[in-house]
Every structure is written in C-alpha cells, then in structure tokens.
Amino acid sequence: LAIPEVRRELKVDADTAQDLSDLVEEVMEEIGEMTRSMMQDLRGGDRGDRQEAMQKMAEKVRQMGDEAMGDVRKMLTEDQINRLRELHLQRLGWAALEEGDVQKSLDLSDSQIEKIKEVREQIAEERREMMREMGGGRGEGGRGEGGRGEGGRGQGGGNREAMTEMQTKIQKMEEDGFKKILTDEQSKQLQDMRGAKFEFPQRGPGGRGGAGRGGRGGRADF
C-alpha cells in the first residue's frame, strides 16, 4: 500500500489513496520507534535476550499489521481487498507457504508444513553464509518475490552485483525446494491465488532505495 503503483492497481480514488499513504506512514513510524527503542535496550545484552526481544517485536509488528488492516478494510471495497491479497501473495513469493491461511487453503499436510519449515531454515542459513562471505552479516531482511531486503547497511555499488547473484541463487533454492513439496494441484491453486501478474517497481516507496520484499512483518490478516 506504500507503493503508488499498487494503489493505482487497486483503482482507489485520490482521497482514499492519501488516507492509505498516511496510514502506512503512521504504522512505519511506530515500527521504527519500537525498533530503535528495542535496539537501545538490548545494547550489551546476551544472545538469548536479543532473540526473545526479536520474537516479541515480530509479534508486535504482526499485531500492528492486523490492526492496520482493520482500517484498510473500511477504506477499500471487497474487490480491492481481494486484489490486495493477490498482490500480497505475489510479493511474498514462496514465503506465502508459511502463512497459516495459505496452508489451510492448499490443505497442506503436517508433513508438508514441516518440510516447508526445513527448507526455510536451510535457505536462511545459506543466506547468512553468503552474507558472511560478502563481509556483510547485517540486514537479513524480509521475504517475498519483489526483492528480499537481504542487503546490509552501507551496501555500495561494488556489492550490487554480488547481491544480485545471491538473490538469484536464493530464488533458485526456493523454487527447487518449495515447489517439490507441493502437488501439481496445489501448485496450480497457489498460482491462481496470486491472480494476474503484477510488476512491482524496482524502487522503494517514494523512491527510497529498492522496493524490498515484504517480510514477516508485512503479513496481514486479510
């Protein structure tokens, strides 16, 4: 919703577009404040404290997203909400398989869900290793098809080629790993749930860097 092209795809009027933009900005400011406060509190803390705090923050972000979606529902029509859901799934890519409602819609078995978790852990470890090799262990961002936000801070032009290569490798790992878990029928159903293909812009909202991928924090109860 922070991306102008998405709001145009939803065919919202000017007033609604402004309301959506204001809502997104408000939520992002709240998340930013919470993150800065948490990082300040955790300075000098041990690894266990940091992991617990990150889990709590992820849950808080999810709650904030759910609350924001309640406001979004009041602004959009049912058709617009449905299209937003399709775009959300496109943005997540194969990471959509980790969402509970997607798992339920596809009728995934417990075995399939466990395999999805294993593949995700393998990919996360591979990404961490590649980031270490690139000399940037920070900034392992969210997930989804439109860009994953893996880049750490201060990634200059010299690292762009390496980042692109890493992202391509990760996407191939996702394709090979997740697709094998689904039946042909489930794969087709997931593709149908994504709706008509939408080309996300390669810049971030307002032109601030890469568009990035929707991450776990970007999940919302549709």
Side-chain angles (χ1 to χ4, degrees):
L1 289 175
I3 303 173
E5 288 85 349
V6 168
R7 297 196 295 267
R8 287 197 290 270
E9 173 71 10
L10 298 179
K11 297 180 174 60
V12 297
D13 58 45
D15 289 341
T16 301
Q18 185 60 56
D19 289 342
L20 290 170
S21 182
D22 291 343
L23 175 63
V24 170
E25 184 173 353
E26 179 183 341
V27 172
M28 294 308 295
E29 286 180 357
E30 290 179 6
I31 291 175
E33 282 184 26
M34 180 177 62
T35 302
R36 287 189 292 272
S37 175
M38 183 199 74
M39 296 305 293
Q40 183 70 30
D41 292 343
L42 285 177
R43 283 182 180 168
D46 59 35
R47 183 179 178 87
D49 289 340
R50 289 195 296 271
Q51 289 179 334
E52 182 179 356
M54 289 297 290
Q55 291 173 351
K56 289 181 178 179
M57 186 177 77
E59 176 61 21
K60 178 63 176 176
V61 170
R62 187 194 67 78
Q63 292 175 357
M64 292 168 65
D66 289 346
E67 291 172 2
M69 271 305 300
D71 294 329
V72 170
R73 285 184 174 277
K74 299 174 184 177
M75 303 179 193
L76 302 181
T77 66
E78 183 176 353
D79 286 344
Q80 289 169 332
I81 288 289
N82 290 338
R83 181 55 176 159
L84 179 61
R85 176 59 174 165
E86 292 174 348
L87 299 183
H88 178 65
L89 294 180
Q90 289 186 38
R91 191 71 156 172
L92 287 178
W94 290 105
L97 293 176
E98 297 180 75
E99 296 215 325
D101 62 333
V102 173
Q103 294 175 355
K104 184 176 180 179
S105 295
L106 298 179
D107 194 23
L108 298 183
S109 66
D110 291 342
S111 175
Q112 286 177 306
I113 293 173
E114 183 60 30
K115 288 178 181 177
I116 287 169
K117 181 179 178 181
E118 292 172 0
V119 170
R120 173 56 60 199
E121 290 173 349
Q122 292 169 3
I123 291 174
E125 177 56 36
E126 180 68 20
R127 184 183 301 110
R128 284 191 291 269
E129 180 59 31
M130 286 189 286
M131 290 295 293
R132 283 193 290 269
E133 291 176 0
M134 290 169 56
R138 292 176 290 181
E140 188 182 321
R143 305 159 304 151
E145 221 164 35
R148 203 174 212 58
E150 295 96 336
R153 287 172 285 183
Q155 296 287 0
N159 266 356
R160 289 178 184 172
E161 188 173 326
M163 288 295 296
T164 299
E165 182 179 345
M166 182 183 78
Q167 186 164 307
T168 299
K169 183 175 181 180
I170 292 296
Q171 288 174 340
K172 184 66 164 56
M173 290 178 65
E174 290 179 331
E175 178 79 16
D176 293 343
F178 290 125
K179 194 169 185 178
K180 289 190 297 186
I181 296 173
L182 303 182
T183 66
D184 290 343
E185 182 179 351
Q186 288 170 332
S187 294
K188 182 180 183 305
Q189 184 178 353
L190 178 59
Q191 186 59 40
D192 290 343
M193 290 168 63
R194 292 170 175 160
K197 177 70 174 176
F198 177 77
E199 294 294 338
F200 286 93
Q202 294 304 305
R203 66 183 187 283
R208 296 189 299 271
R213 276 185 162 139
R216 279 184 173 171
R219 291 183 179 183
D221 182 4
F222 282 82

